[in-house]
Amino acid sequence: MTDVIDGNAVASDIRTALTDSIDTLAEAGETPTLATVLMSDDPASETYVSMKQNDCEEVGIDALDIHIDPDAPAQELYDTIDDLNEDDDVNGILVQMPVPDHVDQREVLRRIDPEKDVDGFHPENVGRLVAGDARYKPCTPHGIQKLLDSAGVDPEGKDAVIVGRSDIVGKPMANLLLQKTDGGNATVTVCHSRTDDLAEKTRQADIVIAAVGVPEIVDGSMLSEGTTVIDVGVNRVDADTEKGYELVGDVDFESAQEKASAITPVPGGVGPMTRAMLLYNTVKAAGRQTGIDVALP
């Protein structure tokens, strides 16, 4: 039987465990606070921010919801980040991507105080991750590590193939799996749009992590028996449904399930974990900044 990894259940367990950490902070008079900054009128981005705000409320994290007109000058966003950096009551800052074209995304990431960069994308935090001394692990890759652990899959000594080389998932995922520590010690191959014969690479893998944003690019014919499959993709495709579309992953679930020993669904797999690990990083940031020792799940 293929184990369908329930990301909702694992994320729920993490959120429950985080409430104990938040109680520890509360006993010392501290409440973790996350500031979300949205400079977009994209409905999907608005939904993501709303979900993150709701997650914070559920576990007892204070949330600041900041909206900036997408037509406003880039400097307005930069000034907002500067103000949040200086606010001692704010522990974490998340700027919802993408930002408008006239805003320099790299400047946004550089502008955030690395101690408050709960996404883990500031160059300093990226460097610490690569060096094996992560301050905050990026949320999606860290969530994938937690999913693998929940499924009893130890990457040590295994061949892992990552399909996708984004700064958000592919690159940090490769670095985490390479680390000489628990949850790492894998032999990692990173594939991308220029990879010749992707199927040849994925068939050699014990673990396949698909994070390229192409609907169902990986199917069962590209997998060996017993592979663990983690599907990061969330793609909207036309379908005969009430909404006129459905969400599918980067993996053809039905055919892959026939080969995989464990697999994540879309939705309900990696997505909930990304949000849970954002809460995790915010609580960790609050502990670091206040000097309060908090246990993290």
Side-chain angles (χ1 to χ4, degrees), residues 92-118:
I93 302 170
L94 181 146
V95 178
Q96 182 65 44
M97 298 296 174
V99 289
D101 290 342
H102 67 280
V103 177
D104 183 345
Q105 178 173 314
R106 292 191 180 276
E107 175 62 18
V108 171
L109 298 178
R110 286 193 297 264
R111 202 106 185 180
I112 298 172
D113 182 344
E115 278 287 352
K116 298 187 178 187
D117 169 39
V118 288

mmCIF file with all atom_site columns, all heavy atoms in Angstrom, residues 92-118:
data_model
loop_
_atom_site.group_PDB
_atom_site.id
_atom_site.type_symbol
_atom_site.label_atom_id
_atom_site.label_alt_id
_atom_site.label_comp_id
_atom_site.label_asym_id
_atom_site.label_entity_id
_atom_site.label_seq_id
_atom_site.pdbx_PDB_ins_code
_atom_site.Cartn_x
_atom_site.Cartn_y
_atom_site.Cartn_z
_atom_site.occupancy
_atom_site.B_iso_or_equiv
_atom_site.pdbx_formal_charge
_atom_site.auth_seq_id
_atom_site.auth_comp_id
_atom_site.auth_asym_id
_atom_site.auth_atom_id
_atom_site.pdbx_PDB_model_num
ATOM 1   N N   . GLY A 1 92  ? 8.829  38.865 13.240  1.00 0.00 ? 92  GLY A N   1
ATOM 2   C CA  . GLY A 1 92  ? 9.006  38.331 11.900  1.00 0.00 ? 92  GLY A CA  1
ATOM 3   C C   . GLY A 1 92  ? 8.380  39.228 10.856  1.00 0.00 ? 92  GLY A C   1
ATOM 4   O O   . GLY A 1 92  ? 7.333  39.835 11.097  1.00 0.00 ? 92  GLY A O   1
ATOM 5   N N   . ILE A 1 93  ? 9.021  39.301 9.694   1.00 0.00 ? 93  ILE A N   1
ATOM 6   C CA  . ILE A 1 93  ? 8.516  40.109 8.579   1.00 0.00 ? 93  ILE A CA  1
ATOM 7   C C   . ILE A 1 93  ? 8.429  39.217 7.351   1.00 0.00 ? 93  ILE A C   1
ATOM 8   O O   . ILE A 1 93  ? 9.400  38.552 6.980   1.00 0.00 ? 93  ILE A O   1
ATOM 9   C CB  . ILE A 1 93  ? 9.443  41.306 8.278   1.00 0.00 ? 93  ILE A CB  1
ATOM 10  C CG1 . ILE A 1 93  ? 9.608  42.193 9.515   1.00 0.00 ? 93  ILE A CG1 1
ATOM 11  C CG2 . ILE A 1 93  ? 8.908  42.108 7.092   1.00 0.00 ? 93  ILE A CG2 1
ATOM 12  C CD1 . ILE A 1 93  ? 10.703 43.251 9.353   1.00 0.00 ? 93  ILE A CD1 1
ATOM 13  N N   . LEU A 1 94  ? 7.260  39.225 6.736   1.00 0.00 ? 94  LEU A N   1
ATOM 14  C CA  . LEU A 1 94  ? 7.067  38.476 5.487   1.00 0.00 ? 94  LEU A CA  1
ATOM 15  C C   . LEU A 1 94  ? 6.472  39.416 4.451   1.00 0.00 ? 94  LEU A C   1
ATOM 16  O O   . LEU A 1 94  ? 5.382  39.959 4.660   1.00 0.00 ? 94  LEU A O   1
ATOM 17  C CB  . LEU A 1 94  ? 6.137  37.280 5.707   1.00 0.00 ? 94  LEU A CB  1
ATOM 18  C CG  . LEU A 1 94  ? 5.869  36.406 4.477   1.00 0.00 ? 94  LEU A CG  1
ATOM 19  C CD1 . LEU A 1 94  ? 5.703  34.955 4.896   1.00 0.00 ? 94  LEU A CD1 1
ATOM 20  C CD2 . LEU A 1 94  ? 4.614  36.848 3.720   1.00 0.00 ? 94  LEU A CD2 1
ATOM 21  N N   . VAL A 1 95  ? 7.189  39.639 3.366   1.00 0.00 ? 95  VAL A N   1
ATOM 22  C CA  . VAL A 1 95  ? 6.661  40.393 2.237   1.00 0.00 ? 95  VAL A CA  1
ATOM 23  C C   . VAL A 1 95  ? 6.159  39.386 1.212   1.00 0.00 ? 95  VAL A C   1
ATOM 24  O O   . VAL A 1 95  ? 6.929  38.574 0.692   1.00 0.00 ? 95  VAL A O   1
ATOM 25  C CB  . VAL A 1 95  ? 7.732  41.310 1.614   1.00 0.00 ? 95  VAL A CB  1
ATOM 26  C CG1 . VAL A 1 95  ? 7.153  42.039 0.411   1.00 0.00 ? 95  VAL A CG1 1
ATOM 27  C CG2 . VAL A 1 95  ? 8.254  42.311 2.649   1.00 0.00 ? 95  VAL A CG2 1
ATOM 28  N N   . GLN A 1 96  ? 4.857  39.415 0.953   1.00 0.00 ? 96  GLN A N   1
ATOM 29  C CA  . GLN A 1 96  ? 4.262  38.447 0.036   1.00 0.00 ? 96  GLN A CA  1
ATOM 30  C C   . GLN A 1 96  ? 4.747  38.702 -1.389  1.00 0.00 ? 96  GLN A C   1
ATOM 31  O O   . GLN A 1 96  ? 4.637  39.810 -1.906  1.00 0.00 ? 96  GLN A O   1
ATOM 32  C CB  . GLN A 1 96  ? 2.735  38.535 0.090   1.00 0.00 ? 96  GLN A CB  1
ATOM 33  C CG  . GLN A 1 96  ? 2.010  37.533 -0.779  1.00 0.00 ? 96  GLN A CG  1
ATOM 34  C CD  . GLN A 1 96  ? 2.230  36.103 -0.331  1.00 0.00 ? 96  GLN A CD  1
ATOM 35  O OE1 . GLN A 1 96  ? 2.179  35.797 0.853   1.00 0.00 ? 96  GLN A OE1 1
ATOM 36  N NE2 . GLN A 1 96  ? 2.485  35.221 -1.284  1.00 0.00 ? 96  GLN A NE2 1
ATOM 37  N N   . MET A 1 97  ? 5.279  37.670 -1.994  1.00 0.00 ? 97  MET A N   1
ATOM 38  C CA  . MET A 1 97  ? 5.736  37.750 -3.378  1.00 0.00 ? 97  MET A CA  1
ATOM 39  C C   . MET A 1 97  ? 4.658  37.206 -4.315  1.00 0.00 ? 97  MET A C   1
ATOM 40  O O   . MET A 1 97  ? 3.866  36.359 -3.908  1.00 0.00 ? 97  MET A O   1
ATOM 41  C CB  . MET A 1 97  ? 7.036  36.981 -3.550  1.00 0.00 ? 97  MET A CB  1
ATOM 42  C CG  . MET A 1 97  ? 8.189  37.507 -2.724  1.00 0.00 ? 97  MET A CG  1
ATOM 43  S SD  . MET A 1 97  ? 8.661  39.184 -3.227  1.00 0.00 ? 97  MET A SD  1
ATOM 44  C CE  . MET A 1 97  ? 9.882  39.575 -1.962  1.00 0.00 ? 97  MET A CE  1
ATOM 45  N N   . PRO A 1 98  ? 4.604  37.671 -5.566  1.00 0.00 ? 98  PRO A N   1
ATOM 46  C CA  . PRO A 1 98  ? 5.532  38.635 -6.161  1.00 0.00 ? 98  PRO A CA  1
ATOM 47  C C   . PRO A 1 98  ? 5.163  40.071 -5.818  1.00 0.00 ? 98  PRO A C   1
ATOM 48  O O   . PRO A 1 98  ? 4.013  40.360 -5.473  1.00 0.00 ? 98  PRO A O   1
ATOM 49  C CB  . PRO A 1 98  ? 5.361  38.370 -7.659  1.00 0.00 ? 98  PRO A CB  1
ATOM 50  C CG  . PRO A 1 98  ? 3.929  37.924 -7.792  1.00 0.00 ? 98  PRO A CG  1
ATOM 51  C CD  . PRO A 1 98  ? 3.634  37.137 -6.555  1.00 0.00 ? 98  PRO A CD  1
ATOM 52  N N   . VAL A 1 99  ? 6.159  40.949 -5.924  1.00 0.00 ? 99  VAL A N   1
ATOM 53  C CA  . VAL A 1 99  ? 5.929  42.378 -5.785  1.00 0.00 ? 99  VAL A CA  1
ATOM 54  C C   . VAL A 1 99  ? 5.794  42.968 -7.189  1.00 0.00 ? 99  VAL A C   1
ATOM 55  O O   . VAL A 1 99  ? 6.152  42.328 -8.180  1.00 0.00 ? 99  VAL A O   1
ATOM 56  C CB  . VAL A 1 99  ? 7.077  43.054 -5.016  1.00 0.00 ? 99  VAL A CB  1
ATOM 57  C CG1 . VAL A 1 99  ? 7.048  42.657 -3.552  1.00 0.00 ? 99  VAL A CG1 1
ATOM 58  C CG2 . VAL A 1 99  ? 8.439  42.705 -5.625  1.00 0.00 ? 99  VAL A CG2 1
ATOM 59  N N   . PRO A 1 100 ? 5.264  44.186 -7.311  1.00 0.00 ? 100 PRO A N   1
ATOM 60  C CA  . PRO A 1 100 ? 5.105  44.789 -8.648  1.00 0.00 ? 100 PRO A CA  1
ATOM 61  C C   . PRO A 1 100 ? 6.438  44.913 -9.388  1.00 0.00 ? 100 PRO A C   1
ATOM 62  O O   . PRO A 1 100 ? 7.516  44.935 -8.777  1.00 0.00 ? 100 PRO A O   1
ATOM 63  C CB  . PRO A 1 100 ? 4.508  46.164 -8.336  1.00 0.00 ? 100 PRO A CB  1
ATOM 64  C CG  . PRO A 1 100 ? 3.834  46.008 -7.006  1.00 0.00 ? 100 PRO A CG  1
ATOM 65  C CD  . PRO A 1 100 ? 4.681  45.038 -6.246  1.00 0.00 ? 100 PRO A CD  1
ATOM 66  N N   . ASP A 1 101 ? 6.356  45.027 -10.702 1.00 0.00 ? 101 ASP A N   1
ATOM 67  C CA  . ASP A 1 101 ? 7.555  45.050 -11.548 1.00 0.00 ? 101 ASP A CA  1
ATOM 68  C C   . ASP A 1 101 ? 8.486  46.209 -11.231 1.00 0.00 ? 101 ASP A C   1
ATOM 69  O O   . ASP A 1 101 ? 9.705  46.097 -11.424 1.00 0.00 ? 101 ASP A O   1
ATOM 70  C CB  . ASP A 1 101 ? 7.158  45.110 -13.028 1.00 0.00 ? 101 ASP A CB  1
ATOM 71  C CG  . ASP A 1 101 ? 6.518  43.814 -13.520 1.00 0.00 ? 101 ASP A CG  1
ATOM 72  O OD1 . ASP A 1 101 ? 6.692  42.770 -12.850 1.00 0.00 ? 101 ASP A OD1 1
ATOM 73  O OD2 . ASP A 1 101 ? 5.835  43.853 -14.567 1.00 0.00 ? 101 ASP A OD2 1
ATOM 74  N N   . HIS A 1 102 ? 7.916  47.332 -10.750 1.00 0.00 ? 102 HIS A N   1
ATOM 75  C CA  . HIS A 1 102 ? 8.783  48.492 -10.495 1.00 0.00 ? 102 HIS A CA  1
ATOM 76  C C   . HIS A 1 102 ? 9.505  48.389 -9.150  1.00 0.00 ? 102 HIS A C   1
ATOM 77  O O   . HIS A 1 102 ? 10.282 49.282 -8.788  1.00 0.00 ? 102 HIS A O   1
ATOM 78  C CB  . HIS A 1 102 ? 7.967  49.790 -10.558 1.00 0.00 ? 102 HIS A CB  1
ATOM 79  C CG  . HIS A 1 102 ? 6.954  49.945 -9.461  1.00 0.00 ? 102 HIS A CG  1
ATOM 80  N ND1 . HIS A 1 102 ? 5.727  49.324 -9.486  1.00 0.00 ? 102 HIS A ND1 1
ATOM 81  C CD2 . HIS A 1 102 ? 6.977  50.658 -8.304  1.00 0.00 ? 102 HIS A CD2 1
ATOM 82  C CE1 . HIS A 1 102 ? 5.038  49.644 -8.409  1.00 0.00 ? 102 HIS A CE1 1
ATOM 83  N NE2 . HIS A 1 102 ? 5.788  50.458 -7.672  1.00 0.00 ? 102 HIS A NE2 1
ATOM 84  N N   . VAL A 1 103 ? 9.279  47.308 -8.424  1.00 0.00 ? 103 VAL A N   1
ATOM 85  C CA  . VAL A 1 103 ? 9.955  47.084 -7.144  1.00 0.00 ? 103 VAL A CA  1
ATOM 86  C C   . VAL A 1 103 ? 11.049 46.041 -7.343  1.00 0.00 ? 103 VAL A C   1
ATOM 87  O O   . VAL A 1 103 ? 10.833 44.994 -7.960  1.00 0.00 ? 103 VAL A O   1
ATOM 88  C CB  . VAL A 1 103 ? 8.962  46.599 -6.067  1.00 0.00 ? 103 VAL A CB  1
ATOM 89  C CG1 . VAL A 1 103 ? 9.695  46.311 -4.763  1.00 0.00 ? 103 VAL A CG1 1
ATOM 90  C CG2 . VAL A 1 103 ? 7.854  47.631 -5.849  1.00 0.00 ? 103 VAL A CG2 1
ATOM 91  N N   . ASP A 1 104 ? 12.234 46.320 -6.822  1.00 0.00 ? 104 ASP A N   1
ATOM 92  C CA  . ASP A 1 104 ? 13.371 45.405 -6.926  1.00 0.00 ? 104 ASP A CA  1
ATOM 93  C C   . ASP A 1 104 ? 13.217 44.322 -5.852  1.00 0.00 ? 104 ASP A C   1
ATOM 94  O O   . ASP A 1 104 ? 13.411 44.579 -4.668  1.00 0.00 ? 104 ASP A O   1
ATOM 95  C CB  . ASP A 1 104 ? 14.673 46.184 -6.727  1.00 0.00 ? 104 ASP A CB  1
ATOM 96  C CG  . ASP A 1 104 ? 15.913 45.314 -6.890  1.00 0.00 ? 104 ASP A CG  1
ATOM 97  O OD1 . ASP A 1 104 ? 15.790 44.073 -6.878  1.00 0.00 ? 104 ASP A OD1 1
ATOM 98  O OD2 . ASP A 1 104 ? 17.013 45.887 -7.003  1.00 0.00 ? 104 ASP A OD2 1
ATOM 99  N N   . GLN A 1 105 ? 12.882 43.100 -6.294  1.00 0.00 ? 105 GLN A N   1
ATOM 100 C CA  . GLN A 1 105 ? 12.637 42.023 -5.329  1.00 0.00 ? 105 GLN A CA  1
ATOM 101 C C   . GLN A 1 105 ? 13.877 41.728 -4.486  1.00 0.00 ? 105 GLN A C   1
ATOM 102 O O   . GLN A 1 105 ? 13.774 41.465 -3.277  1.00 0.00 ? 105 GLN A O   1
ATOM 103 C CB  . GLN A 1 105 ? 12.197 40.750 -6.056  1.00 0.00 ? 105 GLN A CB  1
ATOM 104 C CG  . GLN A 1 105 ? 11.961 39.562 -5.131  1.00 0.00 ? 105 GLN A CG  1
ATOM 105 C CD  . GLN A 1 105 ? 11.366 38.372 -5.855  1.00 0.00 ? 105 GLN A CD  1
ATOM 106 O OE1 . GLN A 1 105 ? 10.427 38.502 -6.629  1.00 0.00 ? 105 GLN A OE1 1
ATOM 107 N NE2 . GLN A 1 105 ? 11.928 37.196 -5.623  1.00 0.00 ? 105 GLN A NE2 1
ATOM 108 N N   . ARG A 1 106 ? 15.049 41.782 -5.107  1.00 0.00 ? 106 ARG A N   1
ATOM 109 C CA  . ARG A 1 106 ? 16.266 41.504 -4.348  1.00 0.00 ? 106 ARG A CA  1
ATOM 110 C C   . ARG A 1 106 ? 16.515 42.567 -3.285  1.00 0.00 ? 106 ARG A C   1
ATOM 111 O O   . ARG A 1 106 ? 17.001 42.269 -2.190  1.00 0.00 ? 106 ARG A O   1
ATOM 112 C CB  . ARG A 1 106 ? 17.469 41.390 -5.295  1.00 0.00 ? 106 ARG A CB  1
ATOM 113 C CG  . ARG A 1 106 ? 17.404 40.159 -6.191  1.00 0.00 ? 106 ARG A CG  1
ATOM 114 C CD  . ARG A 1 106 ? 18.711 39.914 -6.914  1.00 0.00 ? 106 ARG A CD  1
ATOM 115 N NE  . ARG A 1 106 ? 18.631 38.750 -7.768  1.00 0.00 ? 106 ARG A NE  1
ATOM 116 C CZ  . ARG A 1 106 ? 18.820 37.503 -7.365  1.00 0.00 ? 106 ARG A CZ  1
ATOM 117 N NH1 . ARG A 1 106 ? 19.095 37.272 -6.095  1.00 0.00 ? 106 ARG A NH1 1
ATOM 118 N NH2 . ARG A 1 106 ? 18.736 36.490 -8.203  1.00 0.00 ? 106 ARG A NH2 1
ATOM 119 N N   . GLU A 1 107 ? 16.162 43.810 -3.603  1.00 0.00 ? 107 GLU A N   1
ATOM 120 C CA  . GLU A 1 107 ? 16.308 44.871 -2.604  1.00 0.00 ? 107 GLU A CA  1
ATOM 121 C C   . GLU A 1 107 ? 15.345 44.633 -1.443  1.00 0.00 ? 107 GLU A C   1
ATOM 122 O O   . GLU A 1 107 ? 15.688 44.882 -0.279  1.00 0.00 ? 107 GLU A O   1
ATOM 123 C CB  . GLU A 1 107 ? 16.052 46.232 -3.240  1.00 0.00 ? 107 GLU A CB  1
ATOM 124 C CG  . GLU A 1 107 ? 16.051 47.405 -2.263  1.00 0.00 ? 107 GLU A CG  1
ATOM 125 C CD  . GLU A 1 107 ? 17.383 47.604 -1.549  1.00 0.00 ? 107 GLU A CD  1
ATOM 126 O OE1 . GLU A 1 107 ? 18.416 47.083 -2.032  1.00 0.00 ? 107 GLU A OE1 1
ATOM 127 O OE2 . GLU A 1 107 ? 17.394 48.283 -0.504  1.00 0.00 ? 107 GLU A OE2 1
ATOM 128 N N   . VAL A 1 108 ? 14.145 44.154 -1.739  1.00 0.00 ? 108 VAL A N   1
ATOM 129 C CA  . VAL A 1 108 ? 13.179 43.826 -0.680  1.00 0.00 ? 108 VAL A CA  1
ATOM 130 C C   . VAL A 1 108 ? 13.778 42.790 0.267   1.00 0.00 ? 108 VAL A C   1
ATOM 131 O O   . VAL A 1 108 ? 13.745 42.943 1.493   1.00 0.00 ? 108 VAL A O   1
ATOM 132 C CB  . VAL A 1 108 ? 11.861 43.306 -1.284  1.00 0.00 ? 108 VAL A CB  1
ATOM 133 C CG1 . VAL A 1 108 ? 10.948 42.755 -0.192  1.00 0.00 ? 108 VAL A CG1 1
ATOM 134 C CG2 . VAL A 1 108 ? 11.150 44.415 -2.049  1.00 0.00 ? 108 VAL A CG2 1
ATOM 135 N N   . LEU A 1 109 ? 14.357 41.730 -0.300  1.00 0.00 ? 109 LEU A N   1
ATOM 136 C CA  . LEU A 1 109 ? 14.916 40.663 0.532   1.00 0.00 ? 109 LEU A CA  1
ATOM 137 C C   . LEU A 1 109 ? 16.119 41.158 1.335   1.00 0.00 ? 109 LEU A C   1
ATOM 138 O O   . LEU A 1 109 ? 16.291 40.794 2.501   1.00 0.00 ? 109 LEU A O   1
ATOM 139 C CB  . LEU A 1 109 ? 15.314 39.475 -0.342  1.00 0.00 ? 109 LEU A CB  1
ATOM 140 C CG  . LEU A 1 109 ? 14.172 38.806 -1.115  1.00 0.00 ? 109 LEU A CG  1
ATOM 141 C CD1 . LEU A 1 109 ? 14.705 37.665 -1.981  1.00 0.00 ? 109 LEU A CD1 1
ATOM 142 C CD2 . LEU A 1 109 ? 13.087 38.287 -0.177  1.00 0.00 ? 109 LEU A CD2 1
ATOM 143 N N   . ARG A 1 110 ? 16.950 41.979 0.722   1.00 0.00 ? 110 ARG A N   1
ATOM 144 C CA  . ARG A 1 110 ? 18.126 42.511 1.419   1.00 0.00 ? 110 ARG A CA  1
ATOM 145 C C   . ARG A 1 110 ? 17.725 43.471 2.532   1.00 0.00 ? 110 ARG A C   1
ATOM 146 O O   . ARG A 1 110 ? 18.453 43.628 3.512   1.00 0.00 ? 110 ARG A O   1
ATOM 147 C CB  . ARG A 1 110 ? 19.047 43.239 0.437   1.00 0.00 ? 110 ARG A CB  1
ATOM 148 C CG  . ARG A 1 110 ? 19.846 42.332 -0.490  1.00 0.00 ? 110 ARG A CG  1
ATOM 149 C CD  . ARG A 1 110 ? 20.941 43.115 -1.198  1.00 0.00 ? 110 ARG A CD  1
ATOM 150 N NE  . ARG A 1 110 ? 20.397 44.154 -2.056  1.00 0.00 ? 110 ARG A NE  1
ATOM 151 C CZ  . ARG A 1 110 ? 20.183 44.012 -3.361  1.00 0.00 ? 110 ARG A CZ  1
ATOM 152 N NH1 . ARG A 1 110 ? 20.457 42.866 -3.953  1.00 0.00 ? 110 ARG A NH1 1
ATOM 153 N NH2 . ARG A 1 110 ? 19.700 45.005 -4.079  1.00 0.00 ? 110 ARG A NH2 1
ATOM 154 N N   . ARG A 1 111 ? 16.584 44.120 2.366   1.00 0.00 ? 111 ARG A N   1
ATOM 155 C CA  . ARG A 1 111 ? 16.168 45.184 3.286   1.00 0.00 ? 111 ARG A CA  1
ATOM 156 C C   . ARG A 1 111 ? 15.697 44.631 4.629   1.00 0.00 ? 111 ARG A C   1
ATOM 157 O O   . ARG A 1 111 ? 15.812 45.298 5.662   1.00 0.00 ? 111 ARG A O   1
ATOM 158 C CB  . ARG A 1 111 ? 15.028 45.969 2.627   1.00 0.00 ? 111 ARG A CB  1
ATOM 159 C CG  . ARG A 1 111 ? 14.830 47.369 3.165   1.00 0.00 ? 111 ARG A CG  1
ATOM 160 C CD  . ARG A 1 111 ? 15.349 48.360 2.161   1.00 0.00 ? 111 ARG A CD  1
ATOM 161 N NE  . ARG A 1 111 ? 15.282 49.714 2.668   1.00 0.00 ? 111 ARG A NE  1
ATOM 162 C CZ  . ARG A 1 111 ? 15.672 50.769 1.979   1.00 0.00 ? 111 ARG A CZ  1
ATOM 163 N NH1 . ARG A 1 111 ? 16.146 50.627 0.757   1.00 0.00 ? 111 ARG A NH1 1
ATOM 164 N NH2 . ARG A 1 111 ? 15.613 51.976 2.490   1.00 0.00 ? 111 ARG A NH2 1
ATOM 165 N N   . ILE A 1 112 ? 15.136 43.425 4.609   1.00 0.00 ? 112 ILE A N   1
ATOM 166 C CA  . ILE A 1 112 ? 14.588 42.850 5.830   1.00 0.00 ? 112 ILE A CA  1
ATOM 167 C C   . ILE A 1 112 ? 15.717 42.484 6.789   1.00 0.00 ? 112 ILE A C   1
ATOM 168 O O   . ILE A 1 112 ? 16.716 41.879 6.397   1.00 0.00 ? 112 ILE A O   1
ATOM 169 C CB  . ILE A 1 112 ? 13.742 41.606 5.505   1.00 0.00 ? 112 ILE A CB  1
ATOM 170 C CG1 . ILE A 1 112 ? 12.544 41.985 4.620   1.00 0.00 ? 112 ILE A CG1 1
ATOM 171 C CG2 . ILE A 1 112 ? 13.255 40.920 6.779   1.00 0.00 ? 112 ILE A CG2 1
ATOM 172 C CD1 . ILE A 1 112 ? 11.767 40.794 4.081   1.00 0.00 ? 112 ILE A CD1 1
ATOM 173 N N   . ASP A 1 113 ? 15.565 42.860 8.056   1.00 0.00 ? 113 ASP A N   1
ATOM 174 C CA  . ASP A 1 113 ? 16.526 42.484 9.087   1.00 0.00 ? 113 ASP A CA  1
ATOM 175 C C   . ASP A 1 113 ? 16.679 40.955 9.089   1.00 0.00 ? 113 ASP A C   1
ATOM 176 O O   . ASP A 1 113 ? 15.690 40.233 9.230   1.00 0.00 ? 113 ASP A O   1
ATOM 177 C CB  . ASP A 1 113 ? 16.002 42.960 10.445  1.00 0.00 ? 113 ASP A CB  1
ATOM 178 C CG  . ASP A 1 113 ? 16.948 42.668 11.595  1.00 0.00 ? 113 ASP A CG  1
ATOM 179 O OD1 . ASP A 1 113 ? 17.869 41.838 11.440  1.00 0.00 ? 113 ASP A OD1 1
ATOM 180 O OD2 . ASP A 1 113 ? 16.747 43.246 12.685  1.00 0.00 ? 113 ASP A OD2 1
ATOM 181 N N   . PRO A 1 114 ? 17.891 40.422 8.924   1.00 0.00 ? 114 PRO A N   1
ATOM 182 C CA  . PRO A 1 114 ? 18.057 38.964 8.880   1.00 0.00 ? 114 PRO A CA  1
ATOM 183 C C   . PRO A 1 114 ? 17.481 38.247 10.093  1.00 0.00 ? 114 PRO A C   1
ATOM 184 O O   . PRO A 1 114 ? 17.047 37.099 9.995   1.00 0.00 ? 114 PRO A O   1
ATOM 185 C CB  . PRO A 1 114 ? 19.579 38.780 8.797   1.00 0.00 ? 114 PRO A CB  1
ATOM 186 C CG  . PRO A 1 114 ? 20.089 40.044 8.208   1.00 0.00 ? 114 PRO A CG  1
ATOM 187 C CD  . PRO A 1 114 ? 19.167 41.129 8.712   1.00 0.00 ? 114 PRO A CD  1
ATOM 188 N N   . GLU A 1 115 ? 17.468 38.925 11.253  1.00 0.00 ? 115 GLU A N   1
ATOM 189 C CA  . GLU A 1 115 ? 16.897 38.309 12.462  1.00 0.00 ? 115 GLU A CA  1
ATOM 190 C C   . GLU A 1 115 ? 15.374 38.214 12.379  1.00 0.00 ? 115 GLU A C   1
ATOM 191 O O   . GLU A 1 115 ? 14.761 37.454 13.117  1.00 0.00 ? 115 GLU A O   1
ATOM 192 C CB  . GLU A 1 115 ? 17.299 39.092 13.710  1.00 0.00 ? 115 GLU A CB  1
ATOM 193 C CG  . GLU A 1 115 ? 18.682 38.767 14.236  1.00 0.00 ? 115 GLU A CG  1
ATOM 194 C CD  . GLU A 1 115 ? 18.759 37.397 14.919  1.00 0.00 ? 115 GLU A CD  1
ATOM 195 O OE1 . GLU A 1 115 ? 17.702 36.761 15.125  1.00 0.00 ? 115 GLU A OE1 1
ATOM 196 O OE2 . GLU A 1 115 ? 19.871 36.966 15.252  1.00 0.00 ? 115 GLU A OE2 1
ATOM 197 N N   . LYS A 1 116 ? 14.761 39.007 11.502  1.00 0.00 ? 116 LYS A N   1
ATOM 198 C CA  . LYS A 1 116 ? 13.308 38.990 11.356  1.00 0.00 ? 116 LYS A CA  1
ATOM 199 C C   . LYS A 1 116 ? 12.866 38.347 10.044  1.00 0.00 ? 116 LYS A C   1
ATOM 200 O O   . LYS A 1 116 ? 11.678 38.327 9.726   1.00 0.00 ? 116 LYS A O   1
ATOM 201 C CB  . LYS A 1 116 ? 12.761 40.424 11.450  1.00 0.00 ? 116 LYS A CB  1
ATOM 202 C CG  . LYS A 1 116 ? 13.026 41.094 12.793  1.00 0.00 ? 116 LYS A CG  1
ATOM 203 C CD  . LYS A 1 116 ? 12.324 42.449 12.906  1.00 0.00 ? 116 LYS A CD  1
ATOM 204 C CE  . LYS A 1 116 ? 12.560 43.069 14.273  1.00 0.00 ? 116 LYS A CE  1
ATOM 205 N NZ  . LYS A 1 116 ? 11.744 44.305 14.478  1.00 0.00 ? 116 LYS A NZ  1
ATOM 206 N N   . ASP A 1 117 ? 13.829 37.820 9.313   1.00 0.00 ? 117 ASP A N   1
ATOM 207 C CA  . ASP A 1 117 ? 13.573 37.231 7.992   1.00 0.00 ? 117 ASP A CA  1
ATOM 208 C C   . ASP A 1 117 ? 13.077 35.795 8.153   1.00 0.00 ? 117 ASP A C   1
ATOM 209 O O   . ASP A 1 117 ? 13.816 34.834 7.945   1.00 0.00 ? 117 ASP A O   1
ATOM 210 C CB  . ASP A 1 117 ? 14.854 37.284 7.161   1.00 0.00 ? 117 ASP A CB  1
ATOM 211 C CG  . ASP A 1 117 ? 14.785 36.463 5.888   1.00 0.00 ? 117 ASP A CG  1
ATOM 212 O OD1 . ASP A 1 117 ? 13.711 36.460 5.248   1.00 0.00 ? 117 ASP A OD1 1
ATOM 213 O OD2 . ASP A 1 117 ? 15.799 35.822 5.552   1.00 0.00 ? 117 ASP A OD2 1
ATOM 214 N N   . VAL A 1 118 ? 11.813 35.642 8.514   1.00 0.00 ? 118 VAL A N   1
ATOM 215 C CA  . VAL A 1 118 ? 11.270 34.314 8.817   1.00 0.00 ? 118 VAL A CA  1
ATOM 216 C C   . VAL A 1 118 ? 11.005 33.490 7.561   1.00 0.00 ? 118 VAL A C   1
ATOM 217 O O   . VAL A 1 118 ? 10.656 32.311 7.665   1.00 0.00 ? 118 VAL A O   1
ATOM 218 C CB  . VAL A 1 118 ? 9.992  34.429 9.682   1.00 0.00 ? 118 VAL A CB  1
ATOM 219 C CG1 . VAL A 1 118 ? 10.353 34.859 11.100  1.00 0.00 ? 118 VAL A CG1 1
ATOM 220 C CG2 . VAL A 1 118 ? 8.990  35.408 9.077   1.00 0.00 ? 118 VAL A CG2 1
#
